[in-house]
């Protein structure tokens, strides 16, 4: 498949990049590693007039850590760079697990953290060659009026399948969004729209620049577990990320966050998990959280591989497993 024609710009500052995006309102797109975007271009799913490359903008590929403020990851840090970082390996092993779960080694070398968070959602009724798409009426994500995944729905149900988002959500991450006039820091959960048509709430000219993660608490543990058919290349059919910290010496939970990916229009936090704060974490409590996660998950048949019913059933199983791993890494008996 060949790429369509487009203009290409390599701005040297965020201000320039944002200005280019705004001038071309809707007709320009950012490109980082290109691993998600270029396949969409080849399939003519997107036809931007201009690609604005972020690679020449200084300081976007830095990782820094301080005990006081925690971790800062530039949006252009590659997944491989993240997975090889000594401080991330030591303090945030779940991020390494999630980065190494993405696609293949080649995709991890090229793909960036910002691109991973802002990747498009997937739907097998849309993500096909132009020829194969001729068999179906254009769907909502392609500017049409139907959803082939949920017949009769006026919402697009394309599935969000990114691996880093759940891990960062569970770690209470915030992101900096910049445009040509201002920078603002928002919780990562606010980045996502819960609309398969446009998975992020970013407007024309807005660029995700930095991801901020608070320092891990003492006696904390985490787990990222991904369901897929093959051990490589496959997107998540379900991803479960759990972070928790415990009181010193007993099984009382101080902090907890559970997030899921691959089973809905956006990655999401399971709020019921927070009810475990200040409580002993036993089998009954874990089962309750697993049940809440099960209820919130909406896997559909628009992603190939395993049936929606099986993926939904696996939510309970993976949440229980994640508790076992996270409690053990926090120094508790699982
Ligand atoms: C075969 C295959 C398998 C894959 N498997 C997985 C997988 O298992 N898990 C997974 O998570 N991903 C997977 N991916 C998707 C992709 O490779 C990764 O998500 C990668 O991290 C995307 O990063 P990128 O830098 O290449 O993004 P790009 O392709 O450059 O950009 C992706 C999107 O994000 C936008 N964007 C990029 N950077 C920014 C920014 N800083 N601010 C605002 N918008 C931005 C772009 O405009 C574009 O819309 C797979 C891709 C392929 C082709």
């Amino acid at each position: 498949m060949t790429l369509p024609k487009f203009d290409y710009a390599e701005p040297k500052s965020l201000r320039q990049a944002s200005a280019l995006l705004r001038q071309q309102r809707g007709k320009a797109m950012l490109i980082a590693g290109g691993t998600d975007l270029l396949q969409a271009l080849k399939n003519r799913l997107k036809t931007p007039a201009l690609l604005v490359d972020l690679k020449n903008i200084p300081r976007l590929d830095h990782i820094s850590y301080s005990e006081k403020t925690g971790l800062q990851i530039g949006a252009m840090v590659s997944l491989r760079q993240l997975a090889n970082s000594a401080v991330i390996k030591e303090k945030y092993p779940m991020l390494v697990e999630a980065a190494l779960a993405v696609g293949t080694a080649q995709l991890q070398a090229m793909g960036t953290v910002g691109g991973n968070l802002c990747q498009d959602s997937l739907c097998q009724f849309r993500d096909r060659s132009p020829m194969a798409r001729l068999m179906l009426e254009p769907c909502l994500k392609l500017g049409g009026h139907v959803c082939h995944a949920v017949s009769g729905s006026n919402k697009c149900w394309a599935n969000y399948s990114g691996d880093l988002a759940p891990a960062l959500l569970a770690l209470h991450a915030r992101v900096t969004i910049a445009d040509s006039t201002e920078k603002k820091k928002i919780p990562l959960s606010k980045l996502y729209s819960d609309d398969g048509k446009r998975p992020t709430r970013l407007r024309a000219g807005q660029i995700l620049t930095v991801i901020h993660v608070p320092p891990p608490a003492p006696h904390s543990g985490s787990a990222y577990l991904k369901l897929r058919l093959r051990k490589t290349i496959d997107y998540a059919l379900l991803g479960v990320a759990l972070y928790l910290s415990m009181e010193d010496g007993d099984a009382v939970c101080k902090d907890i966050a559970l997030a899921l990916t691959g089973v809905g229009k956006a990655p999401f936090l399971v709020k019921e998990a927070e009810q475990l704060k200040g409580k002993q974490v036993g089998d009954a409590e874990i089962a309750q959280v697993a049940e809440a996660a099960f209820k919130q998950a909406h896997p559909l048949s628009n992603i190939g591989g395993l049936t929606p019913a099986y993926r939904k059933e696996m939510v309970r199983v993976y949440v229980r497993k994640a508790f076992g791993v996270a409690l053990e890494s926090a120094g508790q008996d699982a």
Side-chain angles (χ1 to χ4, degrees):
M1 294 280 271
T2 56
L3 283 168
K5 285 201 184 330
F6 50 81
D7 288 328
Y8 175 75
E10 289 182 340
K12 301 230 167 6
S13 70
L14 281 170
R15 193 177 287 253
Q16 278 175 16
S18 174
L20 282 167
L21 293 171
R22 283 173 78 101
Q23 279 158 20
Q24 297 263 344
R25 195 164 262 279
K27 292 192 186 142
M29 289 192 77
L30 287 172
I31 181 163
T35 60
D36 181 55
L37 184 61
L38 292 180
Q39 55 165 353
L41 262 56
K42 286 182 181 173
N43 276 326
R44 306 306 190 261
L45 292 166
K46 292 171 186 166
T47 49
L50 172 70
L51 286 190
V52 178
D53 199 325
L54 291 171
K55 73 169 176 280
N56 283 344
I57 299 177
R59 296 186 297 280
L60 286 185
D61 59 353
H62 287 198
I63 295 174
S64 63
Y65 177 79
S66 95
E67 293 291 343
K68 201 165 161 217
T69 55
L71 180 70
Q72 303 211 346
I73 311 172
M76 287 299 281
V77 165
S78 73
L79 300 172
R80 179 187 283 175
Q81 209 182 328
L82 183 157
N84 286 340
S85 153
V87 74
I88 298 183
K89 278 186 196 169
E90 185 199 332
K91 307 272 182 192
Y92 306 94
M94 173 160 61
L95 288 183
V96 176
E97 288 158 28
L100 293 179
V102 172
T104 60
Q106 294 89 337
L107 293 166
Q108 291 158 21
M110 289 300 292
T112 63
V113 174
N116 192 278
L117 292 176
C118 298
Q119 68 183 273
D120 206 354
S121 43
L122 305 171
C123 178
Q124 64 186 10
F125 297 107
R126 181 197 82 128
D127 306 335
R128 332 168 148 203
S129 67
M131 179 83 85
R133 284 203 302 278
L134 289 176
M135 292 186 286
L136 288 173
E137 190 182 331
C139 67
L140 291 162
K141 200 165 165 76
L142 287 168
H145 301 287
V146 294
C147 175
H148 300 297
V150 179
S151 163
S153 174
N154 58 2
K155 277 190 202 150
C156 168
W157 285 84
N159 195 65
Y160 183 88
S161 311
D163 284 300
L164 278 186
L168 286 163
L169 283 171
L171 289 167
H172 307 299
R174 295 169 73 81
V175 289
T176 299
I177 308 295
D179 63 21
S180 48
T181 54
E182 60 162 10
K183 280 184 183 179
K184 58 180 179 188
K185 227 194 248 187
I186 57 166
L188 176 61
S189 55
K190 297 263 188 277
L191 179 69
Y192 296 105
S193 65
D194 200 30
D195 178 357
K197 214 168 155 183
R198 291 190 77 246
T200 74
R201 292 181 204 275
L202 293 178
R203 295 189 308 274
Q206 290 188 315
I207 303 170
L208 189 157
T209 57
V210 188
I211 297 97
H212 312 262
V213 191
H219 312 291
S220 59
S222 62
Y224 179 63
L225 304 179
K226 173 169 174 172
L227 173 68
R228 54 181 164 178
L229 281 179
R230 298 170 290 185
K231 284 193 176 142
T232 183
I233 217 169
D234 287 347
Y235 283 92
L237 294 166
L238 161 69
V240 171
L242 177 67
Y243 167 82
L244 46 75
S245 69
M246 309 298 285
E247 297 285 358
D248 192 7
D250 60 26
V252 173
C253 176
K254 263 176 96 172
D255 186 22
I256 181 164
L258 172 69
L260 266 55
T261 191
V263 285
K265 303 192 277 333
F268 60 85
L269 283 160
V270 179
K271 290 281 177 204
E272 285 78 357
E274 291 169 24
Q275 290 170 8
L276 296 197
K277 284 183 196 172
K279 290 190 184 155
Q280 298 263 345
V281 181
D283 288 348
E285 289 74 20
I286 293 172
Q288 222 174 332
V289 174
E291 198 55 31
F294 173 84
K295 286 191 181 139
Q296 244 181 287
H298 290 295
L300 295 171
S301 59
N302 55 350
I303 302 296
L306 295 165
T307 64
Y310 181 82
R311 283 160 61 206
K312 192 159 165 81
E313 194 51 48
M314 283 301 106
V315 172
R316 290 193 188 104
V317 176
Y318 272 55
V319 170
R320 276 197 223 110
K321 260 183 162 178
F323 266 99
V325 178
L327 284 168
E328 200 176 341
S329 61
Q332 305 289 316
D333 290 334

